[in-house]
Amino acid sequence: MSTAGQVIRCKAAVAWEAGKPLSIETIEVAPPQKHEVRIKILFTALCHTDIYYWECKGYTPLFPRILGHEASGIVESVGEGVTDLQPGDHVLPIFTGECKECKHCLSEESNNMCDLLRINCDRGVMLADGKTRFSINGQPIYHFVGTSTFSQYTVVHVGQVAKINPNAPLDKVCPISCGICTGFGATVNVAKPKKGQTVAIFGLGAVGLAAAEGARVCGASRIIAVDLNPKRFEEAKKFGITEFVNPNDYNKPVQEVIVEMTGGGVDRSVECTGSVQAMISAFECVHDGWGVCVLVGVPKIDDAFKTHPMNLLSERTLKGAFYGNYKPRTDIPLVVDKYLNKELGLDMDKFITHSVPFAEINKAFDLMLKGIGLRCMIHLDA
């Protein structure tokens, strides 16, 4: 029986206030409006960005809210004006969008800075009418980055939906919608290490290990990991890491340690922590003359990046990378196809270390807060 055009009642994990466990509630999900798509979410995973906005330390509180943005599912219905998606399509909702009409989307030099659909963590409503599509007994529930995937059904702007090959296993490709592409693309598309070069990866979460996988695929001769958690080092070897540095083990800046280890600095570095000190270290550890540092982690709102201008004048390059430099609607379907054809060299099973039914979603939070595992797959039908 078709549910198109009707309000759907389903389960969602609602954050009622900062830092408190999510509550599984029965909510109402309104039909999609113009340029919107309603998606049945089958799998979702927890990302550090969800944690940051759930804790609300240094961010604008907006509750009650349905978090979640790394997910996969199937289109249930589409709103007016949606022509390139239809019910039954397999999709990945993406936290940032591609309208295909603005100057960024049309530019060959800008991949995902869409004027209309660029990530906005503070907006909790839909663009079409400034209202939410979620409610509980008439009380609005706010959206998160336009995706809100901690719900069995969600409504997303069509520009934030990537249609993918229906043969792709939705649980395996779920992390492509955020963490994997963010890290892997930062290395492959932005840092672009050459075969035989050295690469330093700052941070060994899922994004950092995806960046390490990118360095391995590019043929890096040495991949040096920097992390404060020594428990992550052994597991990281599976992702191509060859050496490990814990800044706490030294009485001098870690960039100096890496420069000494490599005889002048690494050829490329990718920072995936969001710590401004790690960003500075990642930049100052690259070799003068040709070294390239790529920043991926999101800093706190009041952070300031400080380095001596001579570090730039010595022909080091500092770059930023957002979502791995991929266009959400154009590139992500191709990434999934390459994964299916084994052309990426990525083993998604290595990233999915835990799995829980939807009712136990708070276990995923506990695991991430304790630094255990990489991605915890949450089964919304279970």
Side-chain angles (χ1 to χ4, degrees):
M1 181 177 176
S2 174
T3 50
Q6 301 176 32
V7 172
I8 289 178
R9 289 173 60 83
C10 69
K11 297 295 184 183
V14 179
W16 288 99
E17 54 184 305
K20 296 296 178 66
L22 305 189
S23 176
I24 301 295
E25 308 277 2
T26 298
I27 68 164
E28 295 85 39
V29 184
Q33 301 302 305
K34 188 174 182 180
H35 300 315
E36 294 175 359
V37 181
R38 190 160 60 184
I39 302 169
K40 181 179 182 180
I41 299 296
L42 296 178
F43 301 96
T44 189
L46 182 65
C47 170
H48 274 102
T49 303
D50 298 307
I51 293 282
Y52 298 151
Y53 282 86
W54 167 70
E55 291 179 324
C56 257
K57 295 177 181 177
Y59 300 102
T60 304
L62 188 62
F63 297 100
R65 199 172 203 183
I66 297 174
L67 300 166
H69 63 280
E70 189 172 279
S72 57
I74 299 174
V75 173
E76 175 271 336
S77 61
V78 301
E80 177 189 348
V82 177
T83 58
D84 52 352
L85 289 171
Q86 59 186 7
D89 284 343
H90 288 209
V91 295
L92 300 180
I94 311 292
F95 62 89
T96 193
E98 179 187 357
C99 71
K100 296 190 175 184
E101 295 178 354
C102 71
K103 62 182 179 181
H104 279 284
C105 288
L106 296 176
S107 171
E108 294 181 357
E109 297 186 52
S110 176
N111 276 353
N112 48 33
M113 294 283 107
C114 177
D115 289 338
L116 178 67
L117 300 170
R118 188 180 307 187
I119 184 173
N120 185 328
C121 296
D122 295 325
R123 185 175 61 232
V125 296
M126 300 300 290
L127 288 172
D129 57 7
K131 299 178 181 179
T132 73
R133 301 290 175 261
F134 304 121
S135 62
I136 295 180
N137 299 321
Q139 178 184 4
I141 307 295
Y142 291 112
H143 295 249
F144 178 63
V145 295
T147 53
S148 293
T149 61
F150 293 168
S151 173
Q152 291 176 323
Y153 285 87
T154 189
V155 177
V156 182
H157 190 286
V158 65
Q160 290 182 242
V161 182
K163 178 181 176 181
I164 63 170
N165 190 321
N167 294 319
L170 289 175
D171 56 338
K172 297 292 192 296
V173 299
C174 167
I176 287 176
S177 65
C178 178
I180 303 305
C181 281
T182 297
F184 188 81
T187 303
V188 173
N189 298 332
V190 185
K192 298 180 180 178
K194 298 175 182 177
K195 187 175 181 179
Q197 288 191 321
T198 56
V199 180
I201 305 293
F202 284 71
L204 291 180
V207 173
L209 290 174
E213 282 278 80
R216 179 186 60 79
V217 168
C218 289
S221 60
R222 298 173 70 183
I223 306 175
I224 302 168
V226 182
D227 199 286
L228 297 172
N229 185 353
K231 294 179 182 178
R232 291 177 169 170
F233 290 168
E234 191 63 33
E235 184 73 15
K237 293 178 182 177
K238 299 176 183 177
F239 298 83
I241 298 295
T242 60
E243 299 156 74
F244 306 97
V245 176
N246 184 340
N248 289 336
D249 292 340
Y250 300 88
N251 57 7
K252 56 185 172 183
V254 70
Q255 54 266 47
E256 294 181 15
V257 175
I258 294 174
V259 168
E260 291 176 6
M261 288 174 60
T262 55
V266 292
D267 301 299
R268 303 288 186 267
S269 70
V270 185
E271 185 284 323
C272 305
T273 72
S275 159
V276 70
Q277 187 53 57
M279 295 178 181
I280 295 168
S281 297
F283 175 57
E284 294 183 354
C285 81
V286 299
H287 207 291
D288 59 2
W290 62 79
V292 177
C293 170
V294 178
L295 304 183
V296 178
V298 180
K300 294 179 181 178
I301 193 167
D302 295 325
D303 280 341
F305 184 97
K306 298 179 181 179
T307 191
H308 197 282
M310 280 306 300
N311 289 321
L312 286 161
L313 293 171
S314 299
E315 300 194 357
R316 295 176 180 88
T317 300
L318 179 64
K319 292 185 173 185
F322 182 64
Y323 195 43
N325 214 221
Y326 290 111
K327 284 185 181 291
R329 296 165 75 188
T330 300
D331 295 334
I332 297 310
L334 301 177
V335 171
V336 171
D337 285 343
K338 287 182 178 180
Y339 164 70
L340 287 175
N341 296 330
K342 303 187 185 305
E343 296 173 21
L344 279 185
L346 271 175
D347 179 2
M348 298 300 295
D349 287 330
K350 292 191 295 188
F351 290 93
I352 303 170
T353 55
H354 297 80
S355 179
V356 297
F358 192 28
E360 298 177 13
I361 187 172
N362 287 303
K363 286 187 178 180
F365 280 72
D366 292 339
L367 289 167
M368 183 163 283
L369 289 169
K370 292 175 182 176
I372 299 173
L374 297 175
R375 280 298 188 259
C376 179
M377 193 58 56
I378 301 160
H379 299 244
L380 276 81
D381 270 359

